[in-house]
Structure formats: C-alpha cells, structure tokens
Amino acid sequence: MKKVMKELRKIRRLPFHQRTQYIWDYYKFHILLLIFCIVFISYFLLPLFSGNGKNTLLSIAIIDSNVSAKNDTSSLSEDLLSYFHADKKKDAIVIDTSGGTYDTSSSSTIKISILLSSVGENDVIICGKDLYEKFESKGAFMDWENVSDDLSPAVSSQLSGTAFDLSACHQWKELHLTDYSPVYACIPVSCKHPERAASFLNYLYSKEDE
C-alpha cells in the first residue's frame, strides 16, 4: 500500500504532459487490458439484455452502418421474425450496429476483432470490402456454399466463396442500413445458426419476386 501511495505522489508531482506520458509508458499494458475487458464484457452482455431474455434466432452485426440503422433496426427485426414464423413473445432477432472502422480508437478496434473472431456471437456479418479482405485472409469466414442446401435459386446463382455481395439486392437497398458499396454478407466461423444465416439471404431475395 505504501508503494502505491508513493507512486501516486510521484505521478501527481509531474506536469500534465509528463504525467500522461509516464502513465502510458509504464501502464500501457494495464490500460489496454482494461479496455479489452470492458469491450469484451460489454459485447457479450449486450445480446443477453437486447433480447430481453428471449431465444435469439439470428444475430446480425452491421459494420459501419449508417445513422438510420443506428437509430432503428426494428423493421428488419420484425420482418425476419415473421419470415421465420417465430413467436414474437419468446424469440428475438439481435442486430448489432455498434461496430465501425471509422473509429480507430483501441476500444473500437478491439470490438471489431471480437465481432469477427472465433468467440463472436454473430451469425451474419455485414461489412465493406476492406474489412472483408482483411479478415478473409485470416480465415474468419465460412463458405456460403457449405452452409445450407436450401438456398433459393436466386441466391445460389450469385454465390462466390465466403462473401455475398448485397450491393445489387433491391431489398437491402430499400432497408437503407449501409451507405457503402460493395456491401458483403459473410458468415463468421463462430456462427451458431448457419441454416438461419442462409435463410437471411433467402429472405432478402424473396422480396425480389414480389
């Protein structure tokens, strides 16, 4: 305890600039570890509360979503629940729009890494080309063709490896959730509901024929 108090007194005596530099130089690891723990805990607790104790049918992460998506994704959630013939009192669709590559802070970078890691909780990742290519090279995604045998002809005809380009999908454009192009739908290796992830594409392209 005396050692800690001595260290605190030493830090207080330093000018502000030297103080921050001293803290960063000597406690960098502790700070990064703390940030990682905060992001990690927040990320894994979020699905529990966002679903209000409901059964999560599908979890989608939209990276670099626009303002409209950050404000409200209920339309997509409700539509998917209806598409899955779910019990809206017991089931939930979880859509996370908090991840972004424009924020280069440590916490944001860590969150993106967790979203796309093998410990992530998402079934579908929506992202841009740069982020896709960065994590594709690390083997972060599953091949769409190996996910389900029930993909509609409209979807199957456009499959290409681990990325499905939604840029030309009318329904995706109608949802106004992203502003960039191309926009890729990918299945992370941690996906817990691959069949429903495939059904998500069927859902989007079922609207093409309406």
Side-chain angles (χ1 to χ4, degrees):
M1 189 65 182
K2 289 182 178 179
K3 187 176 181 181
V4 173
M5 295 304 296
K6 184 179 179 181
E7 182 71 3
L8 287 173
R9 284 194 293 270
K10 178 181 178 181
I11 293 173
R12 288 197 192 102
R13 284 196 294 268
L14 294 172
F16 179 77
H17 177 71
Q18 292 182 20
R19 186 187 308 165
T20 54
Q21 189 63 48
Y22 179 86
I23 292 172
W24 179 249
D25 289 342
Y26 287 91
Y27 298 99
K28 183 190 302 182
F29 174 78
H30 303 81
I31 294 170
L32 292 175
L33 181 62
L34 178 62
I35 292 172
F36 177 83
C37 289
I38 292 172
V39 174
F40 188 83
I41 293 171
S42 299
Y43 174 71
F44 281 103
L45 286 178
L46 180 62
L48 296 177
F49 294 105
S50 59
N52 295 319
K54 295 180 179 180
N55 173 44
T56 299
L57 296 181
L58 185 70
S59 182
I60 303 169
I62 305 175
I63 310 299
D64 293 326
S65 61
N66 57 26
V67 175
S68 176
K70 292 187 185 302
N71 289 337
D72 187 16
T73 56
S74 60
S75 177
L76 176 58
S77 298
E78 291 294 316
D79 218 10
L80 282 170
L81 285 171
S82 297
Y83 183 79
F84 289 134
H85 304 292
D87 184 339
K88 295 183 180 181
K89 293 182 179 179
K90 297 179 180 178
D91 301 319
I93 302 294
V94 175
I95 302 176
D96 183 354
T97 61
S98 62
T101 59
Y102 303 122
D103 181 357
T104 57
S105 64
S106 298
S107 59
S108 180
T109 301
I110 291 170
K111 180 170 180 65
I112 291 291
S113 297
I114 294 174
L115 281 169
L116 295 167
S117 74
S118 59
V119 297
E121 291 288 317
N122 294 291
D123 301 305
V124 179
I125 300 290
I126 306 293
C127 64
K129 183 180 179 181
D130 290 344
L131 190 68
Y132 164 74
E133 291 179 345
K134 176 181 178 181
F135 283 89
E136 162 62 14
S137 64
K138 300 177 182 179
F141 305 118
M142 299 167 60
D143 195 314
W144 276 104
E145 293 180 346
N146 298 329
V147 171
S148 174
D149 296 325
D150 297 323
L151 290 169
S152 68
V155 173
S156 298
S157 63
Q158 300 183 62
L159 287 179
S160 178
T162 58
F164 191 94
D165 191 351
L166 296 174
S167 303
C169 177
H170 176 71
Q171 172 63 7
W172 182 257
K173 288 191 275 190
E174 285 291 309
L175 288 167
H176 301 297
L177 300 176
T178 53
D179 295 326
Y180 50 84
S181 183
V183 52
Y184 292 148
C186 313
I187 301 184
V189 293
S190 58
C191 174
K192 292 180 172 57
H193 308 105
E195 292 291 333
R196 292 197 195 111
S199 292
F200 172 65
L201 289 188
N202 287 341
Y203 152 77
L204 289 176
Y205 279 87
S206 68
K207 302 287 185 177
E208 301 288 299
D209 301 325
E210 292 180 1

